[in-house]
Amino acid sequence: MTMDMGDPRAERLEMVQRQIVARGITDPLVVSAMRTVPRHEFVPEELRDLAYDDRPLPIGRGQTISQPYIVALMTELAELKGEESVLEVGTGSGYQAAVLAEIAARVYTIELVEPLLRAAAATLVRLHYRNVFPRLGDGSLGWKEMAPFDAILVTAAAARRIPKELLDQLADGGRLVAPVGGEVQTLSVVRRRGKAFERRDVTAVRFVPLLGAAE
Ligand code: SAH
C-alpha cells in the first residue's frame, strides 16, 4: 500500500478493517465513527502520511494522539447510544473527542496545555463539530458545572487511583474508562450503580501521565 496521502479515506477504511474490526471491535456506532473522523486532520502536518498507521503519534509538548485501536476500544467501553453527555479528560489533538461526538449528544473536553487546546479547538471548529465543548483547565477535577456525565473518558494515566472528583461526576449507571498505573498501566472501566462503583480491568495500555490537582 502506498503511504502518500493520495486518498485518506481509502487509507482510513483499510485502517478500520485491519486495526479495528479485525481486533474485535463490534459496536456498529464505533466502527462507523472510526470510518468517518478524518484522523489525518488531527495530526501535525509533517506526520500526515502516518495518520492511519497502527501507532500513537506525537502532537507536540511531549503529548501523543492515541493509537486508533485504543481510541475505538475506549469508545466502545463507554457504551454510547446517542443521547449521552460525555466528559473527556485530556483533549490532546481533539481526535478522541471527535470520535465521541460522532455518537454522543455532547462532548465536554478539558486540556491542561494551552497550545494543544487551541489547536484542537481550531481543528474541531474547522471540521464542524458543534457538539464538542473544549475548555482549558485541570480535568483531574472534572467539570462540575456540566456534571453528571453518562460517560467519562480519561486519556492520560492516573498513577495510583481514579480521582474521586471524577467518580462523583458520573451519572448513576454511567461508565468511566481510564488507564491507571505508572510504568505498567491497566485500562479500567468503572460502572456506577447508585453509591457503588464496580471496576473491571480490560487490558494493558501505555498513556502519558495524568497531571493536575487530583494526582
Ligand atoms: N485524547 C487525546 C490524546 C490525549 S494525550 C487525543 O485524542 O489526541 C493526553 C493529554 O492529557 C495530553 O494532551 C495532556 O496534556 C493532557 N492532560 C494531562 N493531565 C491533564 C489534566 N489534569 N487535565 C487536562 N488534561 C490533561
Side-chain angles (χ1 to χ4, degrees):
M1 187 176 109
T2 63
M3 287 311 285
D4 62 64
M5 290 310 305
D7 188 356
R9 187 166 178 278
E11 287 200 17
R12 186 161 64 251
L13 295 183
E14 174 149 359
M15 175 275 277
V16 171
Q17 221 45 47
R18 290 187 182 207
Q19 302 175 36
I20 308 302
V21 175
R23 286 189 196 142
I25 301 293
T26 57
D27 184 332
L29 295 176
V30 177
V31 173
S32 166
M34 295 297 293
R35 285 190 177 128
T36 304
V37 181
R39 183 173 160 93
H40 62 283
E41 302 276 0
F42 292 86
V43 307
E45 197 133 15
E46 63 277 14
L47 297 178
R48 281 202 176 167
D49 55 350
L50 305 177
Y52 295 103
D53 284 10
D54 186 16
R55 52 177 282 195
L57 289 170
I59 54 171
R61 311 272 160 168
Q63 306 302 332
T64 54
I65 175 173
S66 307
Q67 177 191 10
Y69 172 70
I70 295 296
V71 171
L73 178 62
M74 290 180 77
T75 308
E76 185 168 72
L77 291 168
E79 296 178 23
L80 304 173
K81 301 286 177 266
E83 294 305 312
E84 296 85 358
S85 180
V86 180
L87 173 69
E88 180 195 25
V89 178
T91 312
S93 67
Y95 176 67
Q96 171 78 74
V99 171
L100 292 166
E102 288 288 338
I103 308 174
R106 291 170 302 282
V107 179
Y108 299 92
T109 181
I110 308 184
E111 171 59 52
L112 201 56
V113 178
E114 184 164 13
L116 292 180
L117 191 273
R118 278 174 191 270
T123 304
L124 290 161
V125 166
R126 182 161 52 81
L127 298 175
H128 308 292
Y129 282 100
R130 294 192 181 84
N131 59 337
V132 181
F133 306 95
R135 164 166 102 87
L136 185 67
D138 179 3
S140 73
L141 301 174
W143 190 335
K144 225 173 174 173
E145 297 75 16
M146 302 302 171
F149 301 101
D150 303 297
I152 300 178
L153 266 73
V154 186
T155 63
R160 306 172 66 99
R161 67 172 76 84
I162 294 159
K164 181 177 180 301
E165 287 81 354
L166 294 179
L167 294 171
D168 285 344
Q169 293 176 28
L170 203 53
D172 195 5
R175 290 79 53 199
L176 181 149
V177 184
V180 183
E183 282 287 288
V184 180
Q185 302 165 6
T186 307
L187 187 63
S188 299
V189 185
V190 178
R191 187 182 302 268
R192 179 172 200 163
R193 294 198 192 280
K195 287 184 180 152
F197 294 89
E198 297 165 1
R199 175 170 163 174
R200 178 165 71 90
D201 292 343
V202 179
T203 187
V205 286
R206 212 185 163 99
F207 278 82
V208 297
L210 179 69
L211 307 172
E215 274 298 288

